[in-house]
Amino acid sequence: MLELEDILNNITEMLQTLSEILQTEQQILIDNKLINQLADIIDRKSQLLIELKLLDEKRVKLSQQLNIQPPYNENPTVAAQWQSITDTTKLLANINRDNGLIIENRMNMTEQSINYLKNLNNPAVYTNNGYQQTEVISSKRAKV
């Protein structure tokens, strides 16, 4: 049971680190000054999520060996740790969802800006019939 407590302690520590990473990611997404650090934060988050997955697989395997399952009501200490982990995980999922929404909004604004700039560089040309022509075809040929 001590090994399970150690695993849950490690998961708790990793979730705290993940919380810090997600909050930093959110600050970077909100404040454009540090946007060049975003790739590093995303890499750290991805690596931590992989480590968390491996640790959780270890927890599941050990739980099966001990023939106990979450919420671990058999042991009050482990049950309290598990409850804390599930609460923290829900909170982190909300922060991650919010970060995704910020990214989605930024992508939409960027796409709108690009489309606006494209329209500035490609003014509409109308034919003599009043239809919009997207490309201007020159009727003059170069003589060599």
Side-chain angles (χ1 to χ4, degrees), residues 8 12 15 70-73 75-91:
L8 294 178
T12 302
L15 289 176
Y72 303 115
N73 291 327
N75 183 319
T77 304
V78 174
Q81 283 180 300
W82 182 251
Q83 184 61 47
S84 174
I85 287 170
T86 56
D87 291 344
T88 303
T89 301
K90 290 174 187 174
L91 177 67

Side-chain angles (χ1 to χ4, degrees), residues 6 11 13 26 29 55 72 79 84-85 96 107-108 114 124:
D6 288 342
I11 289 174
E13 290 172 12
Q26 193 169 72
L29 292 170
L55 195 55
Y72 303 115
S84 174
I85 287 170
N96 196 49
M107 288 175 61
N108 288 337
I114 289 171

Side-chain angles (χ1 to χ4, degrees), residues 9-133:
N9 284 334
N10 288 339
I11 289 174
T12 302
E13 290 172 12
M14 292 176 119
L15 289 176
Q16 180 58 41
T17 303
L18 182 59
S19 175
E20 293 166 7
I21 289 172
L22 288 172
Q23 290 172 8
T24 301
E25 180 183 53
Q26 193 169 72
Q27 283 304 115
I28 289 171
L29 292 170
I30 292 171
D31 184 10
N32 287 335
K33 295 175 191 168
L34 303 174
I35 201 75
N36 58 343
Q37 296 177 3
L38 189 59
D40 182 48
I41 291 294
I42 291 171
D43 288 344
R44 286 178 46 205
K45 180 173 73 170
S46 296
Q47 182 61 38
L48 188 58
L49 289 172
I50 290 168
E51 291 173 21
L52 268 168
K53 184 179 186 305
L54 293 173
L55 195 55
D56 192 54
E57 288 172 358
K58 198 175 189 181
R59 176 197 60 83
V60 169
K61 191 175 187 178
L62 183 59
S63 294
Q64 289 171 346
Q65 288 173 355
L66 296 173
N67 200 28
I68 57 175
Q69 294 180 1
Y72 303 115
N73 291 327
E74 302 84 7
N75 183 319
T77 304
V78 174
Q81 283 180 300
W82 182 251
Q83 184 61 47
S84 174
I85 287 170
T86 56
D87 291 344
T88 303
T89 301
K90 290 174 187 174
L91 177 67
L92 295 180
N94 287 335
I95 294 171
N96 196 49
R97 185 202 67 229
D98 292 345
N99 289 357
L101 291 172
I102 293 170
I103 291 170
E104 186 178 328
N105 287 336
R106 284 186 150 234
M107 288 175 61
N108 288 337
M109 289 189 322
T110 300
E111 187 177 338
Q112 289 173 5
S113 298
I114 289 171
N115 289 337
Y116 176 77
L117 292 172
K118 280 182 180 178
N119 288 334
L120 288 179
N121 290 330
N122 295 324
V125 177
Y126 292 90
T127 65
N128 58 356
N129 295 331
Y131 294 106
Q132 189 174 10
Q133 181 176 341

